[in-house]
Amino acid sequence: MTGAEFLASFITTGELHGLRIGSTLDGVDRAFRHPFVDVLGEERAWLRRDYGLVEFAFNPEPEPEWVMATATIQLHRLASDDGLARAWAGSMGVEFPRYTSWEELRDKLSRTQGVPELKITDQGGFLQYRAASSNVSVLVVDAEDEERGYRVGNGDVWSLDLWAPFRAG
């Protein structure tokens, strides 16, 4: 699968290899066959699992089960790490280029069924495209002076975030 196909599916469904907000750590372990680093918060208040390209944050509810609170696809990391895309393709079956432009992703979305409405907001050097129905946000570099190199450039996707909407107590 191409990176653009994978990202379009993620934006449309809010699912990352079948995982959604509320998925368990065991579910993530079954879905992801890639090396990772865990960072555990003080007094087990939270857990962050970093797979290099994808990061998850978990909350401990109910003890001892960890439940996914957020997931972030850190596309900007591909610009400075040639091996990350190859490793990800080998372990997860998704082939990402070094850079993914918003134009390329928007084109893929235009040919994808069920794409949610995207609300655009300025985030100071970034544009955020937020899909409330799938709880996915896309952050795109919006700085004319940013050129591609070891960093993503103007118009490139920085990251995609899966988030849970706020629910008043």
Side-chain angles (χ1 to χ4, degrees):
M1 172 183 291
T2 69
E5 291 168 335
F6 176 77
L7 298 174
S9 173
F10 180 53
I11 293 166
T12 302
T13 65
E15 291 188 7
L16 186 63
H17 289 289
L19 302 168
R20 301 184 62 77
I21 298 297
S23 293
T24 64
L25 182 59
D26 287 341
V28 172
D29 287 340
R30 285 189 299 276
F32 280 73
R33 301 286 186 218
H34 194 80
F36 61 87
V37 173
D38 280 343
V39 178
L40 188 59
E42 191 172 314
E43 296 183 22
R44 293 180 48 89
W46 50 266
L47 171 69
R48 183 174 59 87
R49 177 162 288 178
D50 188 345
Y51 287 92
L53 184 59
V54 176
E55 287 185 20
F56 293 98
F58 297 89
N59 293 325
E61 33 175 285
E63 284 278 342
E65 186 65 74
W66 291 101
V67 178
M68 182 175 34
T70 65
T72 303
I73 302 173
Q74 304 281 7
L75 281 184
H76 63 95
R77 292 180 178 174
L78 295 170
S80 62
D81 187 346
D82 294 332
L84 184 56
R86 284 190 304 277
W88 199 258
S91 66
M92 299 304 295
V94 181
E95 296 186 20
F96 284 101
R98 189 170 175 195
Y99 311 99
T100 299
S101 72
W102 173 242
E103 184 178 313
E104 173 189 1
L105 182 52
R106 189 179 59 222
D107 180 59
K108 179 53 83 178
L109 286 168
S110 73
R111 295 180 277 121
T112 302
Q113 282 196 305
V115 175
E117 181 181 342
L118 299 172
K119 180 182 176 190
I120 305 168
T121 57
D122 186 341
Q123 297 292 319
F126 295 93
L127 291 175
Q128 179 185 55
Y129 295 84
R130 189 171 185 146
S133 64
S134 64
N135 298 334
V136 174
S137 293
V138 182
L139 211 54
V140 177
V141 177
D142 184 36
E144 291 292 329
D145 59 338
E146 289 293 329
E147 295 181 16
R148 285 181 171 177
Y150 286 109
R151 295 174 46 115
V152 294
N154 188 52
D156 286 332
V157 178
W158 180 268
S159 64
L160 292 90
D161 294 296
L162 176 62
W163 43 272
F166 175 76
R167 290 185 175 89

